[in-house]
Amino acid sequence: MRKVAIAIGSVVVLLMLAVFSLPFLVNVNKYHDRIQSELQQRTGRNVRLGNMSLKVFPIRIRVEDVLVGDDPHFVGKTPFATAKELFVSAKLIPLLRGDLQLDALELANPTIELIRDQQGIWNFSTLGKPGSAPPAPNTSATRKGSVPNQSAPPQQALPQQGGTSQPDLSLAKLEITNGQIAVTDYQKRQPRVLYDHIDLTLNDYAPGKPFKIDLAAHLPGNGKETLRIAGKGGPLQDQPLQTVFDGEISLDQVSLAGLQKFLNSAALNNMAFTASGTAHVKNDNSGLKSDGALKLEDARVNGTDIGYPISAKYNISADLNNDVYRVDKADLKLGGTPLSAVGTFNAGPTPAQVDMHVTTSNASVTEIARLAGVFGVAFSPGIQVAGKVDADVSARGAANNPALNGKVSARELVITGKDLPQAVQVTNVDLSLTPSSLQSNSFIATTGSTAVQLKFAMQNYTAPNSTVEATVRTQHAQLGEVLNIAKAYGVSAAEGMSGNGPIQLDVTVKGPTKNPAAMVYSGSGNLKDASLRTPNFTQPVSIRNADLQFSQNSIILNNGSFSLGSTNANGQVTLRNLGPNTTPQVQFALAADKFDSTEWQKLMVNAPVSVKKASLSLVPLANAAAPPAEAPLINRLIGSGTLQVSNVIYDQLQLSNAHSNVMLDRGLIRLSPVTAQIYGGTTDGTIVIDTRPTPSTYTVSSKLDHVDANQLLSSVSSVKKVLYGLLAANANTSFTSSGNSDFARTLNGNVNLSLLNGKVAGVDLLHELSSIGKFVQGGRQQEPFTNIVKLAGDFNIHNGVARTNNLLASIDGGTLAGKGAIDLAAQTIDMNMMAVLSQQYSQTVGGTGIGGYLQTALANSKGELVIPVKVSGSLTSPKFVPDVNALAQMKLQNLLPTLGNPGSLNVKGILGALGGRQSGGEQGQSSGLEGVLGALGGKQQQTGTQNDKQQQRKPADTVNDLLQGVFGGQKKDQQQQPEPPPK
């Protein structure tokens, strides 16, 4: 016996030595081409293998750098499979005889490319099927660890080899560890998605035969994120969903974000959860069937937390090819609230379609209302509802807006929320639902001291043309509490509004729910000593009284008495087309005591207002996403009316007893005609205010008459106590902003003005002119002002700079003409002025006998002194200097202005004598300058014969005549000496 044991042990040792020596005795690389060819024949694909070596325990062949090409039918840039290592298990005895018989394949860290074409055929479905053989291997390129060229397109047709058919691919075991699978689906037009950490074990695989599968996938995410499928299946079909399978699917903290890559269903969009559970799945010719238990945690729908876990025990069947699921049993728990559901769910179309029957009894309404709210079919998110509910409802149609049929009874309802200062309570409300209508009983909602009786019915509530009829009645209610009830029931017009004060209502509303502008109202009501805060104003509106009348699509406020800020108004207002995303209309006849533009700019809310979808039902559509932005009310409002305001204030400008017709057109306010009293005078014209830009722009066309110039300039600019008198003007201007300096800098337009019986403070023009002309004023004292008989001119204003070419002023002692610019914002002046002193005043200051006369002033033919000056500096302290250029031009052109027309050079002056021309007599000659000086000295100029004088007038004679005429001398033919000028 001992010898037998020794013999057996020796054999075992020899066998073990033989096995361990196999890697040294057997050169598996000599099988390289055969194995590569065998795999090509078995798979029907182009296969490239790298260097090979033999491993023991278990005996297998290690292959480096493996590449398996794709089916030529599929167009892709990557091969079907690549792997750094491939382990090929072969039967030992045949291998010792030189016969390679594959038994198992193991791929380490492979990447597999799965593609479904537009006809729904997957590229892996043709693996191992008869077809064209691959091309002959290139041994030189693949021996000794060389890596094949993986960039070569694997889709090239494989040539026939001897016309023999390929043997089918059969494996006892196929194992993939830590693999990557990329999926591209052209049928569903879905881009390439890569999944990693895939482990797969496939046993007993052969075409047309069943197999065993165990697949584990670790999905990306924060939890365990493990998906496992284990069971029996096969044979493998071209369409994987047609492959028979019987096994289990288990989820361990799998997030929807990771699972969505596999499910890829539009019905799961805008949702998030973590799922755990186990399901038994059976797929055969009759379809897919599954039963099991599932738990969803951290669920979010449309960005809103559900706030409790959802668990389900279910039994369903599905047609996966069409994404249709039939729920044979679903016992749900929403937190602690039970629900039962049966029916079908079709996830194929968008939106998904449902046909479900849901029942519950004596359930807490809290969890149901919250879940329904986030799906948009019940109370709005942010509203909490407590109470009990019985329901027996069928839902059919689009999953996001199904048609309902059945009954819902709620009792002991308590509705709270952040926008509800006090809870809203409903003792009992019953809803009857049909596919075309939803109707409530007459129920009472209470909050605080307010009770509101409500009843409503909706027709075609799931269709775009749905209609509603609602009745609201209340007596001795509080405005704020009525608004809270409206918010609790989802009435969008109440969003953002609050108030207080007594209100009475008896109103019926009928019309399309999707078009609030077409609603028809009837009934009456009253508000007294109430306060209403709206999203459109920064301060509340005080309502001393308003009789409400509801008619057609209008709300009429009669005998209205309102206050907003410091403005008090009385009159009538009619409102139409109320509601979000509409164009409200208004007609009014109002009288107000005050309108302060600066205050109203602060009162108006110019930012867009967030609103919720319009709804007038117990189960309004929720809007969990960010509400849409709505334009400010003034930018949506249209209408017209009349307005009387006792006092209008724009910055410091004030008008009294203003009357105007008003047109409103979506942010454009037109007041025409506007009549008002302003600083002792009157104004009438047109004002257009554009509130759409920020800041608002003003366009004014006005006519002023007998207005106090100082008060007007002081109110619209910083020029104060400078210009006095009665002003008349025609202006067409535009401007923005509200500050004085900003106002002046944005001012543009044209102004024609006329000022009578006024004065300019801070400057004595006659004194300044005498300083420039270098003559004394004949004992006249310097004054702190200049009297203005009349001032007129046209101004073109651009960005606050006023320019004129025809400014004319009549003052005591002369006239002035000016052209240049006045900067209203900087309060500076830059003008050229021509002063013409009257003959009378010219005589009082020295006439032609003053010293230095010809250097800064000239005299015209009427004896009037002409002084050109430049004016610069500030408006309050202007600087006057001689205009040397103007003086030179007048001398050059021999033209001088007159008192009656100081802005025009049209009279010959003394410049003819300054040309140096001779007088033309035989008895004596004198130069032009000597003739001028002689004339200034009172001497006669001796000339030729009488005939010569009669035949031709010399230039010197003309100068003498002009000088004599200006300064009172006799005509030359009278042979008289001129009288000396007065001192």
Side-chain angles (χ1 to χ4, degrees):
M1 189 69 182
R2 181 179 179 184
K3 293 180 178 180
V4 173
I6 293 174
I8 294 174
S10 300
V11 172
V12 170
V13 171
L14 290 174
L15 288 175
M16 292 180 62
L17 290 173
V19 171
F20 279 114
S21 63
L22 278 176
F24 305 99
L25 299 175
V26 179
N27 181 15
V28 293
N29 267 310
K30 71 179 183 179
Y31 300 108
H32 178 279
D33 295 346
R34 183 175 174 183
I35 293 174
Q36 181 172 277
S37 178
E38 183 78 11
L39 289 175
Q40 288 184 145
Q41 296 293 333
R42 296 288 184 94
T43 61
R45 303 290 176 87
N46 187 8
V47 177
R48 304 289 175 88
L49 304 179
N51 192 44
M52 301 173 60
S53 59
L54 185 63
K55 302 294 181 181
V56 296
F57 294 111
I59 296 177
R60 53 186 180 168
I61 300 172
R62 177 180 180 270
V63 184
E64 299 176 358
D65 301 319
V66 178
L67 181 147
V68 180
D70 210 340
D71 188 321
H73 172 72
F74 295 88
V75 178
K77 296 181 179 179
T78 57
F80 173 74
T82 59
K84 290 295 183 183
E85 287 184 319
L86 167 66
F87 293 94
V88 180
S89 298
K91 294 179 181 180
L92 178 59
I93 301 303
L95 180 63
L96 294 175
R97 295 197 304 261
D99 182 16
L100 178 64
Q101 296 185 14
L102 297 180
D103 186 49
L105 297 177
E106 179 184 347
L107 283 81
N109 303 310
T111 298
I112 299 174
E113 199 78 23
L114 302 182
I115 301 175
R116 179 159 71 167
D117 64 14
Q118 294 181 350
Q119 287 72 40
I121 305 299
W122 288 92
N123 59 346
F124 65 81
S125 63
T126 61
L127 272 173
K129 289 192 174 182
S132 299
N138 184 353
T139 27
S140 62
T142 56
R143 297 281 183 128
K144 298 181 180 180
S146 61
V147 181
N149 182 9
Q150 296 185 10
S151 63
Q155 295 77 20
Q156 296 177 356
L158 305 178
Q160 294 277 352
Q161 260 190 0
T164 59
S165 62
Q166 317 175 149
D168 292 338
L169 176 63
S170 300
L171 293 172
K173 184 179 181 180
L174 171 64
E175 186 174 358
I176 296 174
T177 58
N178 195 29
Q180 287 186 334
I181 297 179
V183 179
T184 304
D185 193 337
Y186 290 107
Q187 186 182 51
K188 290 188 175 181
R189 298 181 179 179
Q190 293 168 354
R192 183 177 184 268
V193 179
L194 183 66
Y195 308 95
D196 55 10
H197 304 294
I198 305 293
D199 296 326
L200 171 67
T201 301
L202 186 66
N203 293 313
D204 304 326
Y205 175 78
K209 301 292 182 64
F211 56 85
K212 296 179 181 179
I213 187 172
D214 189 348
L215 182 146
H218 301 277
L219 306 180
N222 297 324
K224 294 182 179 179
E225 299 285 352
T226 301
L227 168 67
R228 190 177 189 90
I229 302 174
K232 296 180 179 180
L236 186 65
Q237 303 297 321
D238 292 345
Q239 297 287 352
L241 296 179
Q242 296 176 358
T243 301
V244 174
F245 178 77
D246 189 353
E248 287 191 349
I249 299 177
S250 60
L251 305 174
D252 190 0
Q253 296 182 358
V254 174
S255 65
L256 176 60
L259 195 61
Q260 177 74 332
K261 294 181 179 180
F262 287 101
L263 301 179
N264 207 2
S265 172
L268 299 177
N269 291 341
N270 300 320
M271 297 179 63
F273 56 75
T274 299
S276 299
T278 302
H280 174 252
V281 178
K282 184 177 182 180
N283 186 39
D284 52 26
N285 294 330
S286 62
L288 182 142
K289 295 181 180 179
S290 177
D291 61 86
L294 190 65
K295 185 176 183 179
L296 304 182
E297 298 178 295
D298 302 323
R300 292 174 60 86
V301 178
N302 295 324
T304 301
D305 289 321
I306 292 179
Y308 51 80
I310 300 174
S311 59
K313 292 183 178 180
Y314 70 91
N315 189 335
I316 65 172
S317 57
D319 178 1
L320 296 180
N321 290 316
N322 297 308
D323 286 340
V324 177
Y325 303 84
R326 186 177 76 249
V327 180
D328 299 316
K329 173 187 175 182
D331 294 331
L332 306 176
K333 277 194 174 181
L334 311 178
T337 300
L339 282 176
S340 296
V342 295
T344 60
F345 181 84
N346 186 352
T350 301
Q353 300 294 306
V354 299
D355 187 357
M356 302 291 293
H357 182 207
V358 180
T359 59
T360 188
S361 177
N362 198 33
S364 172
V365 75
T366 304
E367 288 83 3
I368 297 175
R370 185 169 181 82
L371 180 63
V374 298
F375 275 103
V377 293
F379 293 96
S380 300
I383 295 293
Q384 293 81 45
V385 185
K388 298 295 182 179
V389 64
D390 299 328
D392 187 347
V393 178
S394 296
R396 179 177 296 175
N400 61 348
N401 192 20
L404 306 178
N405 195 356
K407 293 184 178 180
V408 176
S409 297
R411 57 190 180 277
E412 302 173 6
L413 294 179
V414 179
I415 307 170
T416 58
K418 63 178 181 179
D419 294 328
L420 303 179
Q422 299 182 74
V424 176
Q425 300 179 353
V426 178
T427 303
N428 183 75
V429 58
D430 297 325
L431 297 178
S432 298
L433 303 100
T434 69
S436 61
S437 67
L438 182 154
Q439 186 168 345
S440 77
N441 63 329
S442 180
F443 60 96
I444 296 177
T446 61
T447 181
S449 61
T450 297
V452 178
Q453 183 178 353
L454 301 165
K455 184 178 181 180
F456 65 87
M458 295 183 67
Q459 302 295 328
N460 300 323
Y461 58 93
T462 62
N465 60 342
S466 59
T467 61
V468 64
E469 179 177 351
T471 301
V472 180
R473 292 188 177 92
T474 182
Q475 294 289 331
H476 309 296
Q478 291 295 311
L479 174 61
E481 295 170 347
V482 171
L483 291 172
N484 291 338
I485 292 175
K487 295 175 191 176
Y489 285 92
V491 178
S492 60
E495 293 297 333
M497 300 178 66
S498 61
N500 56 65
I503 183 174
Q504 298 181 17
L505 289 174
D506 187 353
V507 182
T508 299
V509 182
K510 299 179 181 179
T513 57
K514 304 293 184 180
N515 184 11
M519 290 287 185
V520 176
Y521 302 86
S522 61
S524 60
N526 176 262
L527 277 169
K528 188 178 292 292
D529 298 326
S531 176
L532 177 65
R533 183 177 290 275
T534 75
N536 298 293
F537 296 105
T538 60
Q539 293 187 19
V541 179
S542 297
I543 306 172
R544 291 182 291 274
N545 183 77
D547 295 330
L548 307 178
Q549 181 180 350
F550 301 89
S551 176
Q552 294 298 319
N553 65 342
S554 304
I555 301 176
I556 304 171
L557 285 70
N558 290 316
N559 302 318
S561 180
F562 319 98
S563 296
L564 181 59
S566 62
T567 300
N568 300 300
N570 298 280
Q572 182 187 74
V573 179
T574 300
L575 300 171
R576 296 183 178 88
N577 295 355
L578 297 180
N581 300 315
T582 62
T583 303
Q585 298 181 16
V586 61
Q587 265 86 38
F588 56 89
L590 295 174
D593 61 345
K594 178 183 178 181
F595 178 86
D596 188 332
S597 174
T598 303
E599 179 188 38
W600 272 77
Q601 286 185 358
K602 296 177 181 178
L603 290 173
M604 297 294 295
V605 174
N606 292 324
V609 179
S610 295
V611 297
K612 294 185 178 179
K613 294 180 180 178
S615 179
L616 289 171
S617 72
L618 179 65
V619 284
L621 292 178
N623 185 13
E630 186 178 63
L633 176 63
I634 192 65
N635 288 358
R636 295 184 291 120
L637 194 64
I638 63 174
S640 61
T642 60
L643 182 63
Q644 301 179 32
V645 184
S646 299
N647 189 17
V648 178
I649 302 173
Y650 178 83
D651 290 334
Q652 300 180 32
L653 175 66
Q654 295 191 28
L655 292 81
S656 59
N657 197 23
H659 294 74
S660 179
N661 294 328
V662 182
M663 295 291 294
L664 305 175
D665 186 8
R666 299 173 180 85
L668 206 61
I669 305 172
R670 181 179 179 86
L671 296 90
S672 179
V674 179
T675 59
Q677 296 175 353
I678 175 172
Y679 302 126
T682 61
T683 179
D684 64 84
T686 299
I687 301 175
V688 178
I689 306 172
D690 191 349
T691 66
R692 295 168 296 184
T694 301
S696 301
T697 62
Y698 296 77
T699 303
V700 179
S701 175
S702 62
K703 179 180 180 181
L704 304 176
D705 191 24
H706 284 79
V707 177
D708 187 302
N710 176 55
Q711 288 185 293
L712 180 63
L713 288 177
S714 297
S715 64
V716 300
S717 71
S718 56
V719 180
K720 305 179 187 300
K721 298 181 180 181
V722 173
L723 183 64
Y724 296 84
L726 296 180
L727 179 67
N730 291 299
N732 291 284
T733 59
S734 63
F735 54 89
T736 61
S737 185
S738 58
N740 281 335
S741 59
D742 290 340
F743 161 79
R745 186 57 67 199
T746 62
L747 184 63
N748 291 276
N750 297 286
V751 176
N752 167 263
L753 60 85
S754 175
L755 182 76
L756 298 175
N757 302 324
K759 64 180 180 179
V760 177
V763 61
D764 186 345
L765 288 176
L766 289 178
H767 174 76
E768 297 294 340
L769 294 173
S770 66
S771 298
I772 292 173
K774 298 181 180 179
F775 51 79
V776 296
Q777 301 188 58
R780 180 181 178 277
Q781 298 296 321
Q782 182 178 356
E783 300 289 348
F785 58 86
T786 299
N787 288 321
I788 297 179
V789 179
K790 183 178 181 180
L791 175 68
D794 298 320
F795 287 89
N796 178 266
I797 306 173
H798 180 68
N799 294 337
V801 178
R803 301 183 183 278
T804 180
N805 288 316
N806 61 353
L807 183 65
L808 293 174
S810 177
I811 64 174
D812 292 341
T815 59
L816 296 96
K819 63 179 181 178
I822 300 175
D823 192 326
L824 301 177
Q827 305 173 49
T828 59
I829 185 172
D830 182 10
M831 297 193 73
N832 295 79
M833 303 193 73
M834 187 71 68
V836 179
L837 303 181
S838 66
Q839 183 183 32
Q840 180 181 0
Y841 185 78
S842 298
Q843 294 294 338
T844 64
V845 298
T848 59
I850 60 176
Y853 176 78
L854 294 177
Q855 298 177 6
T856 56
L858 300 174
N860 62 22
S861 62
K862 295 184 179 181
E864 301 162 345
L865 292 180
V866 179
I867 307 174
V869 297
K870 283 181 172 290
V871 186
S872 61
S874 66
L875 293 175
T876 54
S877 299
K879 297 179 181 180
F880 295 81
V881 296
D883 191 344
V884 178
N885 291 334
L887 190 67
Q889 288 294 326
M890 288 190 296
K891 291 179 178 180
L892 180 64
Q893 299 177 15
N894 194 21
L895 296 176
L896 292 175
T898 63
L899 183 71
N901 194 359
S904 177
L905 302 177
N906 54 11
V907 179
K908 290 186 177 181
I910 64 172
L911 300 183
L914 299 178
R917 298 175 62 184
Q918 295 179 350
S919 61
E922 295 180 355
Q923 298 178 1
Q925 297 178 346
S926 64
S927 67
L929 180 58
E930 290 175 343
V932 172
L933 295 177
L936 293 176
K939 297 180 180 180
Q940 289 184 347
Q941 186 178 21
Q942 300 298 323
T943 62
T945 62
Q946 185 70 21
N947 292 333
D948 293 335
K949 291 187 289 183
Q950 292 177 354
Q951 293 176 1
Q952 184 178 6
R953 302 279 297 183
K954 297 292 191 296
D957 298 330
T958 304
V959 171
N960 286 332
D961 288 345
L962 289 174
L963 291 176
Q964 291 169 1
V966 170
F967 297 108
Q970 298 291 330
K971 289 185 178 180
K972 192 169 130 179
D973 55 4
Q974 295 175 332
Q975 301 296 322
Q976 294 181 0
Q977 299 291 336
E979 296 180 1
K983 296 183 179 179

